[in-house]
Amino acid sequence: PFDLIYSTGGAFAAHLAGRALKRATGMPWLAEVHDPLVMPGSEPATPQQKMQAEVERLICTDADIAIWFTEQALASARRRHPQLGERGKMMLPGIDPPFQVPPYQPGAKFIIGHFGSLSATRHLGPIVDALELLQARRPDLVAMTELHVYGGPLDPVSSDKIASSSVRACVRHFGRVEADPQTGLSGREQILRRMRAVDVLLLLHGEEPICAEYIPSKLYEYLWMQRPILAVVHKNPQMVGMLRGQGHPAIRTGEDHNAAGAAILELANALEEMFDRWRVDGLPDNHRLSPYTTQAAVGQLLGWAGT
């Protein structure tokens, strides 16, 4: 005997299984949708897209509780399927503290760290453009700045941009960090320590329509580092509010009032302000504990499930 069917994904087959179990057992069904099943601003065209849209319809019609991870994703699903009503919920999943935080020590260079995958729609173009803009007015800043990039290979847009840039000497691509047999640290453990060691964590949201309904899990990880975050956020006011609410600058893109050139200028200005503070006192930790925890998310789930 059990009390609740809980499907989560990711893979939409999990939700089909959850619905089938509800129909077979009569038990209540809670469906948790990780990423939007329907791409914002488009109509499903391919068989895969049509299947995902049908799974969303089934969730909105039959789930006793249906959860999305952003306010806009929930609003879009509810607009497509008004029958969802108040059974639709929004939850910020968060993460637990990843490890015991080692001390931060400023170095001789101002280090901006980007961690995670890049693509043609989430690339280093904005930060390179901002550094090029600063090169003219603040050559001292560029001379003392390094952009450290961790993750897989550079995407073609970033590669081309860096190759032709006047600030290419500032960029250091470390690629994927593997386990270290000498220290016994996994690649993951090393990356967490390098996040703590940089002066500024760079968060690039992307440029796709899905950004309006998606918050990268990297944000939750960054918030636990207690380091300053500099973010470029595409059409997502909720994500901007989360960052600014924790004291981090967030540059908005993709909105009518903030054209690409204005966003690059805003990014350059934020970078300059952070650099000047770093040169004075080394940008100490903010000592903020992230409010976005697994425990908080589970508390919401239990409340909605009525336990």
Side-chain angles (χ1 to χ4, degrees), residues 221-240:
E221 193 169 67
Y222 274 10
L223 286 173
W224 277 111
M225 295 299 107
Q226 301 185 12
R227 303 298 306 131
I229 300 169
L230 179 58
V232 182
V233 181
H234 189 70
K235 293 186 176 181
N236 196 316
Q238 182 182 15
M239 184 173 164
V240 169

Side-chain angles (χ1 to χ4, degrees), residues 77-151:
R78 191 177 275 146
R79 184 184 67 252
R80 287 187 290 266
H81 306 287
Q83 70 270 29
L84 174 62
E86 294 307 308
R87 290 179 293 112
K89 309 292 183 184
M90 192 283 297
M91 180 183 76
L92 297 172
I95 63 167
D96 288 327
F99 70 123
Q100 187 67 34
V101 176
Y104 158 74
Q105 295 290 338
K109 290 280 186 130
F110 178 59
I111 307 299
I112 306 163
H114 180 272
F115 298 83
S117 62
L118 295 166
S119 71
T121 57
R122 184 173 63 242
H123 53 79
L124 298 173
I127 187 66
V128 173
D129 285 339
L131 287 170
E132 289 177 349
L133 191 156
L134 287 167
Q135 190 174 42
R137 76 183 196 209
R138 291 294 304 271
D140 60 316
L141 183 156
V142 175
M144 296 183 67
T145 296
E146 288 185 357
L147 172 61
H148 291 187
V149 183
Y150 294 91

Side-chain angles (χ1 to χ4, degrees), residues 5-21 29 31-32 55:
I5 299 157
Y6 176 18
S7 64
T8 183
F12 63 72
H15 302 304
L16 293 176
R19 179 175 181 267
L21 283 168
W29 169 34
E32 181 183 270
V55 171

Side-chain angles (χ1 to χ4, degrees), residues 130-207:
L131 287 170
E132 289 177 349
L133 191 156
L134 287 167
Q135 190 174 42
R137 76 183 196 209
R138 291 294 304 271
D140 60 316
L141 183 156
V142 175
M144 296 183 67
T145 296
E146 288 185 357
L147 172 61
H148 291 187
V149 183
Y150 294 91
L154 293 179
D155 64 281
V157 177
S158 295
S159 294
D160 291 346
K161 185 74 177 177
I162 293 167
S164 61
S165 175
S166 58
V167 299
R168 58 185 175 275
C170 296
V171 182
R172 297 183 63 190
H173 179 223
F174 292 89
R176 186 176 174 82
V177 177
E178 304 293 348
D180 185 345
Q182 292 187 337
T183 64
L185 293 175
S186 68
R188 166 79 173 156
E189 290 169 326
Q190 293 176 71
I191 285 295
L192 290 171
R193 280 157 177 76
R194 295 190 192 197
M195 285 184 187
R196 279 287 302 150
V198 302
D199 300 298
V200 173
L201 291 163
L202 177 65
L203 182 61
L204 300 174
H205 191 204
E207 300 169 355

